[in-house]
Amino acid sequence: MESLFTIITPEKESVPIIVSIPHCGRTFPPELTSHYKQELAENPDDTDFFVDDLYDFLPEMGITTICANYSRWVIDLNRSSKNEALYDDGRIITHLTPTTNFLGDSIYANPVFEPKRKEIERRTKYYYQPYYDKITQLLQAAKAQFGQAILWDAHSIRRQVPTIHSEPFPDLILGTNDGQTAATDLIQVVKNSLSNSAYELSDNYPFKGGNITRHFGNPSANIHTFQLEMAKDVYMDDTETAYHPKRAAKIKATLINTFETLISAIKNGKK
């Protein structure tokens, strides 16, 4: 059985930043593999393809990374364990254990395979909770060492998904649940860095951050969380199927600058 997630440790002195990449996994557990439409499961479209490759500079900056290995179609790590809706504006958002992709297409080979209550509870126990437990451990260790901790949840999405939003998405979307998941000074540091780049930045619209950001963010306890959603063609080709090294290098430079600025702000005592 494949590990549920991969931890990539710093290659230099660590800093109090953890980066979570919950939707880059493509693997399905052996007991579930045959349940899905194979032509879809071979290339699950809602995957945040290559985001782990895009953020491969993190160890050199002293940042710890946690990457999920299983597909979000097994269980979506960025949804509430109680399957509570993230938004109430009528958009289509897949559930904790999705039965369709973002476009509404069924992902299961037969409706009988769609998970019911006991199966959802099983997946939550074995594939969901360990990821949250590990993030908790990493954040608490960082806070014990540095007095505060920052969690950055890294995502990507197709430039246009009409079932979610009628217009094309901007290049970058920063989510802090309308400023509730991180200290104001740190939010401003991140916003300034991303805004002063070649990319269009949107603040908390149309995404405010998913469950990971909202669950762990607790500025009053010195735990600050951010979600960065990114249009896939920012670092992939126009078909949004292949990694584009030149585009990726450009956005990497922006990300590196943002993390450098954030690390400097932490060292200078901003909260």
Side-chain angles (χ1 to χ4, degrees), residues 14 63 73 103 133 144 236 242 263:
S14 63
I63 297 171
W73 287 356
L103 299 179
D133 290 345
M236 297 173 72
I263 291 167

Side-chain angles (χ1 to χ4, degrees), residues 5 15 29-30 33 52 59 69 72 105 121 123 133 142 146 175-176 189-191 205 220-221 229 237 271:
F5 49 78
V15 297
T33 301
D52 46 342
N69 292 329
R72 69 187 299 173
D105 304 318
E121 290 175 351
R123 294 191 197 184
D133 290 345
F146 298 100
T176 58
V189 165
V190 173
K191 285 174 61 176
Y205 182 80
S220 63
E229 191 77 67
D237 66 6
K271 294 183 178 180

Side-chain angles (χ1 to χ4, degrees), residues 33-34 116 141 193 234-235 243:
T33 301
S34 64
K116 306 303 188 290
S193 179
V234 167
Y235 68 98
Y243 194 71

Side-chain angles (χ1 to χ4, degrees), residues 16 63 67 80 83 103 105 129 132 142 161 170 196 210 215 227 232-233 236 242 244:
I63 297 171
C67 302
S80 162
N83 214 16
L103 299 179
D105 304 318
Q129 195 58 47
Y132 277 70
V161 185
N196 294 326
H215 176 84
Q227 175 177 293
K232 286 185 175 181
D233 59 9
M236 297 173 72
H244 192 291

Side-chain angles (χ1 to χ4, degrees), residues 191-210:
K191 285 174 61 176
N192 287 346
S193 179
L194 294 175
S195 296
N196 294 326
S197 71
Y199 300 98
E200 177 191 10
L201 174 69
S202 179
D203 182 19
N204 283 292
Y205 182 80
F207 300 114
K208 301 177 186 295

Side-chain angles (χ1 to χ4, degrees), residues 22 24 30 58 78 99 108 113 130 147 157 176 188-189 203 250 258 264-265 270:
C24 62
L58 295 173
N78 205 28
T99 56
Y108 282 92
F113 293 135
I157 194 166
T176 58
Q188 199 59 50
V189 165
D203 182 19
K250 183 179 176 183
T258 298
S264 178
K270 285 198 175 184

Side-chain angles (χ1 to χ4, degrees), residues 23 36 71-86 93-100 107-108 115-117 119-125 127-129 132 211:
H23 290 158
Y36 295 88
S71 171
R72 69 187 299 173
W73 287 356
V74 176
I75 196 160
D76 193 329
L77 298 169
N78 205 28
R79 300 293 184 264
S80 162
S81 61
K82 298 180 181 179
N83 214 16
E84 297 164 334
L86 292 173
I93 291 288
T94 51
H95 296 159
L96 178 67
T97 51
T99 56
T100 69
I107 59 177
Y108 282 92
K116 306 303 188 290
R117 181 179 61 84
E119 173 61 10
I120 293 171
E121 290 175 351
R122 186 189 74 86
R123 294 191 197 184
T124 302
K125 178 179 179 180
Y127 300 112
Y128 179 100
Q129 195 58 47
Y132 277 70
N211 193 68

